[in-house]
């Protein structure tokens, strides 16, 4: 185990950037992202930018992937300029993205063909906690891979749980985390929508209930942003895109189906996020899903208009989901 492993971070999105800047205060860090402003922020924090994932990983002992989905994982590792082209045998890839157990196992198998180890380590906690090294990280990895990645993981996590010895084990527990998080956000949206329908002040409702038995982390965190949605003309700052939960709840319901376990609440929450995506909210903060249940304009609540199918020639452009190739998570 190298005490200060050279670490490459690929993906400087909402989670990748704060993780990279925190690591750069303690370790040599090289990073890649498509966003020049984010690379500049990493440089200001002491990191080194790279023009491609392959260049970022060239001298790395550990590569930390913080991208959006499996398609971006494949591009970052195995694409024309992918990190796997330059990583040396014995290097370790830390997969922090939520991609599901099967994808994690497939990725690990492809890397193993080149002698590269994999630590399945999806993260939870949000950007602020990422920047403070205060994340919850759940790990599936063999001992050798975990030992090599441990200096990086220990800097990022306040709670690190080793779930099992295989890539995919961490993803399984992260899916359960996302089940709870997704349902809690959907429940918070229903509560605030009902409060508005009853003529109550949503801000008072959030402030009162967040401290009681009905409160949750998601209610306390997303509730104020849902209130902000109604109070301001501009949408709240995007801290977690709505289409992230479209992806994650799809993973949850998919693996539950394969395990023959009914998840009716998760399935209902998934439909709410899909409705939000169809309404053009994919790139908005996930708290904006409340407007699907209680529109900002009262007239929309009296005369709701269901989104048309994207295949319909009459489908308005505003309902077409935006491109998802944005910043990594």
């Amino acid at each position: 185990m190298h005490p200060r492993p050279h670490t490459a971070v690929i993906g400087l999105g909402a989670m990748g950037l704060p993780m990279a800047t925190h690591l750069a205060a303690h370790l040599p860090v090289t990073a890649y992202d498509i966003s020049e402003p984010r690379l500049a922020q990493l440089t200001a924090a002491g990191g080194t930018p790279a023009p491609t994932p392959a260049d970022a990983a060239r001298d790395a002992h550990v590569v930390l992937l913080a991208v959006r989905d499996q398609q971006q994982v494949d591009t970052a590792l195995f694409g024309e300029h992918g990190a796997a082209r330059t990583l040396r045998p014995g290097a370790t890839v830390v997969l922090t993205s939520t991609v599901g157990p099967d994808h994690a196992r497939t990725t690990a198998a492809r890397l193993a063909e080149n002698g590269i180890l994999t630590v399945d380590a999806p993260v939870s906690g949000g950007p602020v906690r990422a920047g403070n090294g205060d994340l919850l990280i759940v790990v599936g990895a063999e001992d050798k891979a975990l030992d090599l990645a441990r200096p990086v993981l220990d800097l990022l996590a306040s709670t690190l749980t080793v779930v099992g010895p295989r890539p995919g084990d961490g993803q399984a527990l992260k899916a359960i985390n996302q089940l709870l998080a997704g349902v809690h956000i959907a429940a918070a949206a229903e509560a605030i929508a009902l409060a508005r329908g009853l003529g109550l002040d949503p801000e008072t409702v959030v402030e009162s209930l967040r401290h009681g038995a009905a409160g949750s982390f998601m209610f306390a965190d997303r509730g104020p942003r849902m209130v902000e949605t109604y109070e301001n003309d501009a949408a709240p700052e995007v801290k977690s895109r709505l289409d992230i939960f479209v992806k994650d709840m799809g993973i949850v319901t998919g693996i539950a189906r394969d395990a023959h376990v009914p998840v009716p609440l998760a399935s209902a929450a998934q439909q709410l996020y899909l409705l939000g995506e169809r309404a053009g909210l994919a790139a908005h903060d996930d708290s904006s899903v409340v407007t699907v249940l209680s529109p900002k304009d009262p007239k929309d609540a009296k005369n709701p208009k269901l989104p048309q199918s994207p295949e319909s020639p009459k489908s308005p452009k505003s309902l077409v989901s935006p491109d998802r190739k944005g910043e990594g998570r």
Side-chain angles (χ1 to χ4, degrees):
M1 180 173 66
H2 197 289
R4 297 184 73 249
H6 185 144
T7 303
V9 178
I10 300 176
L12 298 178
M15 294 295 287
L17 180 59
M19 286 194 290
T21 54
H22 183 72
L23 290 173
H26 305 275
L27 305 171
V29 171
T30 306
Y32 168 77
D33 193 88
I34 60 173
S35 168
E36 291 294 335
R38 288 182 175 273
L39 286 172
Q41 286 180 263
L42 186 278
T43 302
T48 302
T52 68
D55 290 308
R58 192 174 305 279
D59 298 315
H61 303 98
V62 175
V63 172
L64 188 146
L65 278 182
V67 296
R68 183 180 303 280
D69 53 28
Q70 186 61 32
Q71 181 180 355
Q72 291 190 0
V73 168
D74 288 341
T75 300
L77 290 176
F78 309 114
E80 181 181 359
H81 302 290
R85 293 178 176 273
T86 56
L87 275 174
R88 296 167 293 187
T92 302
V93 170
V94 178
L95 178 62
T96 70
S97 309
T98 302
V99 296
D102 288 344
H103 283 313
R105 286 191 280 267
T106 300
T107 299
R110 292 184 69 180
L111 290 170
E113 293 174 0
N114 295 325
I116 301 167
L117 304 173
T118 302
V119 174
D120 170 26
V123 302
S124 181
V128 173
R129 292 177 63 179
N132 293 329
D134 187 28
L135 291 171
L136 164 67
I137 303 181
V138 291
V139 172
E142 61 181 67
D143 290 342
K144 181 180 180 180
L146 181 56
D147 287 344
L148 292 171
R150 178 72 76 167
V152 174
L153 295 174
D154 284 345
L155 285 171
L156 295 174
S158 58
T159 302
L160 192 149
T161 302
V162 180
V163 184
R166 304 173 303 162
D169 292 338
Q171 294 289 329
L173 183 51
K174 178 60 185 296
I176 297 171
N177 180 89
Q178 294 307 88
L179 182 157
L180 289 166
V183 168
H184 287 174
I185 294 172
E190 285 195 10
I192 291 173
L194 180 58
R196 293 187 80 225
L198 296 173
L200 300 178
D201 174 37
E203 184 174 7
T204 300
V205 170
V206 170
E207 186 57 33
S208 173
L209 297 183
R210 67 190 295 182
H211 301 294
S216 68
F217 172 85
M218 285 303 188
F219 184 76
D221 183 74
R222 286 349 189 244
R225 278 141 66 182
M226 291 179 183
V227 172
E228 183 184 348
T229 295
Y230 295 110
E231 291 181 343
N232 300 331
D233 291 335
E237 178 187 357
V238 179
K239 296 184 178 180
S240 175
R241 284 173 52 134
L242 184 142
D243 59 6
I244 291 293
F245 271 99
V246 172
K247 169 181 70 75
D248 289 359
M249 297 309 281
I251 291 172
V252 168
T253 56
I255 65 175
R257 180 191 63 241
D258 293 343
H260 298 276
V261 176
V263 285
L265 296 181
S267 298
Q270 179 189 23
Q271 295 304 308
L272 181 59
Y273 296 118
L274 286 168
L275 284 170
E277 182 182 57
R278 289 289 304 276
L281 301 175
H284 289 235
D285 190 77
D286 55 38
S287 61
S288 66
V289 76
V290 70
T291 61
V292 176
L293 302 173
S294 180
K296 294 180 72 170
D297 187 342
K299 292 184 295 184
D300 293 337
K302 295 178 181 178
N303 300 291
K305 296 180 180 179
L306 294 177
Q308 295 175 324
S309 168
E311 289 79 17
S312 169
K314 297 181 180 179
S315 180
K317 291 183 179 179
S318 62
L319 297 180
V320 177
S321 297
D323 181 28
R324 293 193 193 175
K325 295 181 181 178
E327 61 200 31
R329 186 177 179 220

